[in-house]
């Protein structure tokens, strides 16, 4: 796993460096500033974003993206009114797996980090896990799951976590905490989208297959 510059990221995504900076500011790409005030980005996240940008459809707002994934998983989405739920269900009948990955990317900000092995169990207990089990494929080794923004700040402090593209934890931080309440693990459609964003070919293919099945 490596880091890349904004210039290389711009070339990979087919956008300007200014647009890459906008993606960082919007939380769609994670990175760190160097001593010279330049940005270094997670190259794997850049590649995942490049693969999820088929050029069709604007990203949905978090509430809509989460609602779609809840409906695909056979769950109610009580934060959506009946009219919005009906329109979304109709939209899901016409969308394909690749486009769904694209439009749902604002559901959370992906952060790769490192946590001491002595704190791994504590981190796992604090997250709503997204481990791939519901689509019959475990994700890459390490901890993977969701938390909200206040919990993320507290976890970084309590567990001494640091951003690291080579780290053993993948955390998706969402501002839409409604979907986290009372859950220990994410439903099938969420796990499938997470896998479909992976840089690992096998994981990505499994996620897209699962989404295709759910969309049918």
């Amino acid at each position: 796993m490596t880091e890349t510059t904004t210039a290389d990221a711009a070339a990979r995504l087919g956008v300007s460096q200014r647009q890459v900076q906008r993606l960082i500011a919007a939380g769609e790409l994670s990175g760190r500033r160097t001593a010279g005030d330049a940005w270094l980005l997670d190259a794997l996240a850049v590649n995942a974003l490049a693969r999820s940008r088929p050029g069709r459809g604007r990203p949905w707002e978090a509430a809509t993206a989460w609602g779609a994934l809840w409906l695909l998983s056979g769950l109610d989405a009580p934060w959506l009114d009946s009219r919005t739920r009906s329109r979304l269900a109709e939209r899901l009948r016409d969308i394909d797996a690749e486009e769904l990955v694209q439009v749902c990317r604002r559901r959370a900000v992906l952060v790769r980090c490192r946590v001491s092995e002595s704190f791994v169990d504590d981190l796992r207990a604090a997250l709503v896990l997204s481990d791939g089990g519901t689509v019959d494929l475990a994700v890459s080794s390490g901890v993977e799951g969701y938390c909200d923004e206040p919990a993320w700040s507290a976890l970084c402090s309590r567990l001494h976590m640091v951003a690291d593209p080579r780290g053993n934890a993948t955390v998706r931080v969402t501002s839409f905490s409604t979907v986290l309440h009372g859950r220990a693990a994410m439903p099938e459609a969420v796990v499938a989208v997470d896998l479909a964003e992976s840089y690992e070919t096998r994981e990505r293919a499994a996620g897209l297959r699962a989404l295709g099945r759910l969309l049918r």
Side-chain angles (χ1 to χ4, degrees), residues 5-22:
T5 65
T6 55
D8 288 340
R12 179 72 177 90
L13 295 169
V15 300
S16 68
Q17 290 190 60
R18 185 179 295 275
Q19 180 60 23
V20 170
Q21 292 171 344
R22 292 193 187 103

Side-chain angles (χ1 to χ4, degrees), residues 35-187:
D37 205 33
W39 279 98
L40 286 178
L41 308 178
D42 181 349
L44 301 177
V46 172
N47 286 337
L49 181 58
R51 288 194 299 264
S52 72
R53 290 168 67 91
R56 298 174 297 165
R58 297 173 61 85
W60 291 339
E61 294 301 320
T64 303
W66 283 112
L69 297 176
W70 247 233
L71 294 177
L72 281 177
S73 299
L75 302 173
D76 189 18
W79 58 90
L80 300 176
D81 60 50
S82 59
R83 183 179 178 184
T84 301
R85 191 180 298 112
S86 177
R87 287 203 307 264
L88 185 55
E90 183 176 351
R91 180 71 179 92
L92 289 171
R93 288 193 287 270
D94 297 327
I95 202 170
D96 64 26
E98 290 275 6
E99 188 175 0
L100 183 65
V101 174
Q102 159 76 359
V103 296
C104 286
R105 73 176 190 267
R106 283 186 180 168
R107 70 192 182 281
V109 175
L110 184 149
V111 183
R112 289 190 177 87
C113 47
R114 180 163 299 281
V115 60
S116 167
E117 289 299 324
S118 61
F119 289 132
V120 165
D121 288 342
D122 291 328
L123 177 61
R124 187 179 298 277
L127 298 177
V128 178
L129 298 177
S130 179
D131 62 7
T134 55
V135 293
D136 300 321
L137 179 67
V139 298
S140 301
S141 60
V143 182
E144 183 158 348
Y146 285 79
C147 69
D148 62 18
E149 292 169 347
W152 172 241
S153 297
L155 283 171
C156 286
S157 176
R158 179 166 64 89
L159 303 183
H160 308 290
M161 297 166 62
V162 295
D164 183 353
R166 301 174 179 82
N168 57 349
T170 299
V171 181
R172 289 178 170 85
V173 184
T174 182
S175 60
F176 197 71
S177 59
T178 299
V179 296
L180 304 178
H181 296 161
R183 301 198 66 87
M186 280 296 178

Side-chain angles (χ1 to χ4, degrees), residues 7 30 107 154 202 210 216:
S30 60
R107 70 192 182 281
R202 183 167 171 262
R216 288 196 298 270

Side-chain angles (χ1 to χ4, degrees), residues 51 137 195-196 198-209:
R51 288 194 299 264
L137 179 67
L195 284 169
S198 175
Y199 64 93
E200 294 285 354
T201 302
R202 183 167 171 262
E203 291 180 2
R204 177 171 170 77
L208 291 174
R209 283 197 305 271

